[in-house]
């Protein structure tokens, strides 16, 4: 079974630029999560999708972050414009259903200069 | 708001030692608790998932226990190996389907 795929693996941008991350969850998984992990901290949930609907986006900075889940499968997370404090690893995870075990992708390491 | 704490932040042990990692949470009304392993530059690998009705789960050399009333979970690693070196994270799912992660314990097993 293929795992959660993410791209790119690394991204370096300057502040005020835009960036987008892509996630392909495990086939058949209805729930998809985006997390932000700052160095030395645990992951913080940004947004949770159930199929193509948003379940929780309470910690998503909506003035600059946006996310969508195309047809309930792949998802993209966008930052526009980026700030220095957005430097982090962005992790995507999926689960079969909302309360199920989460499986994580390798993450995208973003550096904002 | 749920807060998850993992102490110690870092731990160094000689190979072969049995060890315990701790995770505490402030609100006992949880749905489940999951332990993860994170290697440098990598994503998280799920180790064990304990439902709120369970007391423990075992997988190989790993055993996780859950005591909801005291707000604690422990991850026991038997006969530690250098390959066990990684950061171990616990995450709590509450009854509103929100996740809370601890900041992790960085384990170093010395050969």
């Amino acid at each position: 079974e293929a795992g959660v795929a993410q791209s790119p693996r690394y991204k370096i941008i300057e502040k005020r630029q835009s960036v987008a991350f892509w996630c392909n969850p495990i086939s058949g998984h209805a729930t998809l999560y985006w997390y932000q992990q700052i160095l030395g901290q645990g992951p913080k949930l940004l947004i949770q999708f159930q199929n193509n609907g948003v379940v929780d986006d309470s910690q998503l900075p909506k003035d600059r972050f946006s996310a969508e889940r195309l047809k309930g499968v792949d998802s993209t997370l966008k930052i526009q414009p980026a700030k220095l404090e957005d430097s982090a690893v962005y992790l995507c995870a999926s689960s079969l259903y909302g309360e199920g075990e989460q499986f994580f992708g390798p993450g995208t390491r973003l550096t904002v200069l | 708001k749920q807060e998850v704490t993992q102490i110690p932040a870092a731990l160094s042990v000689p190979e072969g030692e049995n060890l315990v990692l701790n995770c505490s949470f402030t609100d006992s009304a949880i749905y489940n608790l999951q332990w993860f392993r994170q290697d440098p530059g990598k994503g998280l690998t799920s180790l064990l998932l304990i439902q709120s009705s369970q007391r423990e789960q075992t997988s190989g050399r790993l055993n996780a226990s859950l005591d909801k009333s005291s707000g604690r979970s422990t991850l026991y690693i038997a006969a530690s190996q250098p390959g066990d070196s990684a950061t171990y994270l616990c995450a709590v799912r509450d009854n509103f389907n929100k996740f809370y992660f601890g900041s992790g314990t960085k384990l170093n097993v010395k050969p």
Side-chain angles (χ1 to χ4, degrees):
Chain A
E1 178 182 86
V4 177
Q6 289 188 248
S7 67
R9 292 295 314 278
Y10 305 92
K11 190 74 177 178
I12 300 174
I13 62 173
E14 295 190 351
K15 60 183 179 183
R16 290 188 289 274
Q17 285 188 320
S18 301
V19 64
F21 313 127
W22 174 82
C23 173
N24 185 15
I26 293 173
S27 178
H29 280 198
T31 310
L32 185 146
Y33 314 80
W34 282 103
Y35 290 88
Q36 180 192 59
Q37 186 177 24
I38 293 172
L39 188 64
Q41 299 181 16
K44 181 182 82 172
L45 181 68
L46 294 175
I47 189 166
Q48 177 181 344
F49 292 95
Q50 182 71 19
N51 296 308
N52 61 355
V54 175
V55 174
D56 182 4
D57 62 357
S58 56
Q59 298 194 92
L60 186 73
K62 298 181 185 64
D63 57 335
R64 297 184 301 106
F65 286 63
S66 65
E68 61 180 3
R69 190 173 182 195
L70 307 171
K71 299 179 181 178
V73 181
D74 292 6
S75 178
T76 55
L77 176 69
K78 296 179 182 177
I79 307 175
Q80 180 180 9
K83 293 185 176 181
L84 296 176
E85 59 262 34
D86 298 332
S87 293
V89 176
Y90 291 84
L91 296 163
C92 179
S94 69
S95 61
L96 189 59
Y97 54 92
E99 297 80 22
E101 186 176 5
Q102 291 187 68
F103 297 89
F104 280 76
T108 296
R109 181 176 297 276
L110 173 67
T111 302
V112 182
L113 303 175
Chain B
K1 182 190 170 185
Q2 179 77 267
E3 289 185 10
V4 181
T5 304
Q6 292 185 250
I7 295 173
L11 182 64
S12 184
V13 301
E15 181 177 4
E17 205 167 277
N18 301 325
L19 58 100
V20 173
L21 306 180
N22 297 297
C23 172
S24 61
F25 45 95
T26 53
D27 187 344
S28 62
I30 68 169
Y31 188 87
N32 62 34
L33 184 146
Q34 196 167 354
W35 281 94
F36 295 90
R37 167 188 174 134
Q38 186 171 32
D39 292 282
K42 303 276 182 69
L44 280 65
T45 301
S46 178
L47 297 173
L48 291 163
L49 172 70
I50 310 178
Q51 302 294 346
S52 63
S53 59
Q54 297 175 320
R55 295 299 300 268
E56 65 178 337
Q57 283 285 347
T58 298
S59 176
R61 294 184 294 109
L62 305 179
N63 175 277
S65 67
L66 174 64
D67 184 344
K68 271 200 331 178
S69 60
S70 66
R72 281 196 278 182
S73 176
T74 60
L75 179 67
Y76 175 83
I77 302 177
S80 59
Q81 303 169 358
D84 295 330
S85 297
T87 297
Y88 290 81
L89 294 148
C90 71
V92 165
R93 185 196 293 267
D94 70 11
N95 291 324
F96 299 98
N97 214 24
K98 288 187 180 291
F99 280 98
Y100 302 90
F101 274 86
S103 54
T105 294
K106 186 173 183 179
L107 173 66
N108 179 35
V109 180
K110 298 173 288 186

